[in-house]
Amino acid sequence: MASDDDHLASPEEMLRTIEEQRAATARWLYGDPLLLYVPWGVAWLLGFTALFLHYGLDGHPYAPISQTQALAVLMSAQLVAGAVAAFGIVRMNRGVRGDHTARGTMYGYAWFAGMLLVWVICGRLSSLLPPDESGLAWGGASLMIVAVMNMAGGAIWLYWPMFFIGVWVAAVDALGVLLGVGWHALLTAVLLGGGFIVAGLWLRRRQ
């Protein structure tokens, strides 16, 4: 007959179990990075690349893509990314109650309010600006909300990677606005689109 000692886990198995539980807890608290970051990275890579090809860096389009077509690519990709991210957030909060849920709810409303304010302000002012500057205002203001909300989320949940992602978005957005609409589209596609894909994959591996 086997003794109880035969069923005790080895130190390696105990460490593996601890790591698995730690990773599961991190995904529960902060969500799955593959769902929260990678879809937005792909959306921005596709959408802002289309805008870059439309605007160019010298004031001349690099491809026969109209602004309407480029915006259609960006908006369609963002709708898909938003749906995937929403699925990840709902799955993350399933069965969770208390302060964590309340914070998440208020944070979600803050996102909605910030983007609604961008639509109101830019929608009011865009008719007063040249088409290129209007596009820059929309892109710069939208990414400003993304930057601030990521930094705020990092502060709320004491999650440094999220905070630094917000800082990165703010830096790229500011530089792009200063350089002009073509550069803004290029930097956003490469550094933020590609950056979010890398961040999602890295954070998932880290979890």
Side-chain angles (χ1 to χ4, degrees), residues 62-108:
Y62 290 161
I65 301 175
S66 68
Q67 186 180 46
T68 301
Q69 291 171 332
L71 288 175
V73 173
L74 177 61
M75 296 303 294
S76 300
Q78 288 189 138
L79 284 175
V80 174
V84 175
F87 169 77
I89 292 172
V90 170
R91 191 176 71 170
M92 176 180 68
N93 289 316
R94 186 179 300 164
V96 181
R97 297 292 184 271
D99 292 344
H100 185 79
T101 300
R103 290 176 186 176
T105 301
M106 288 187 284
Y107 185 68

Side-chain angles (χ1 to χ4, degrees), residues 94-159:
R94 186 179 300 164
V96 181
R97 297 292 184 271
D99 292 344
H100 185 79
T101 300
R103 290 176 186 176
T105 301
M106 288 187 284
Y107 185 68
Y109 284 137
W111 265 103
F112 175 77
M115 287 302 180
L116 179 61
L117 192 58
V118 168
W119 276 87
V120 171
I121 294 175
C122 291
R124 176 67 178 83
L125 298 178
S126 60
S127 61
L128 306 176
L129 300 172
D132 287 3
E133 296 301 317
S134 173
L136 185 61
W138 279 97
S142 299
L143 289 178
M144 176 188 68
I145 298 299
V146 174
V148 171
M149 291 306 299
N150 271 279
M151 287 188 282
I156 291 171
W157 287 288
L158 299 178
Y159 190 48

Side-chain angles (χ1 to χ4, degrees), residues 1-11 13-14 17:
M1 184 175 179
S3 64
D4 292 339
D5 291 342
D6 294 334
H7 300 287
L8 292 178
S10 67
E13 292 173 335
M14 293 178 65
T17 301

Side-chain angles (χ1 to χ4, degrees), residues 19-85:
E19 283 300 311
E20 290 173 352
Q21 292 300 317
R22 185 189 65 79
T25 302
R27 284 194 294 272
W28 174 69
L29 288 174
Y30 308 121
D32 188 341
L34 289 181
L35 298 179
L36 298 180
Y37 292 108
V38 173
W40 285 106
V42 173
W44 289 345
L45 184 62
L46 295 175
F48 280 97
T49 296
L51 285 170
F52 165 68
L53 294 175
H54 165 72
Y55 289 122
L57 296 180
D58 55 1
H60 301 287
Y62 290 161
I65 301 175
S66 68
Q67 186 180 46
T68 301
Q69 291 171 332
L71 288 175
V73 173
L74 177 61
M75 296 303 294
S76 300
Q78 288 189 138
L79 284 175
V80 174
V84 175

Side-chain angles (χ1 to χ4, degrees), residues 165-201:
I165 286 173
V167 172
W168 177 243
V169 173
V172 173
D173 188 31
L175 180 60
V177 169
L178 291 174
L179 293 177
V181 65
W183 279 103
H184 185 270
L186 176 62
L187 293 177
T188 302
V190 176
L191 298 182
L192 295 186
F196 265 52
I197 294 173
V198 172
L201 295 173

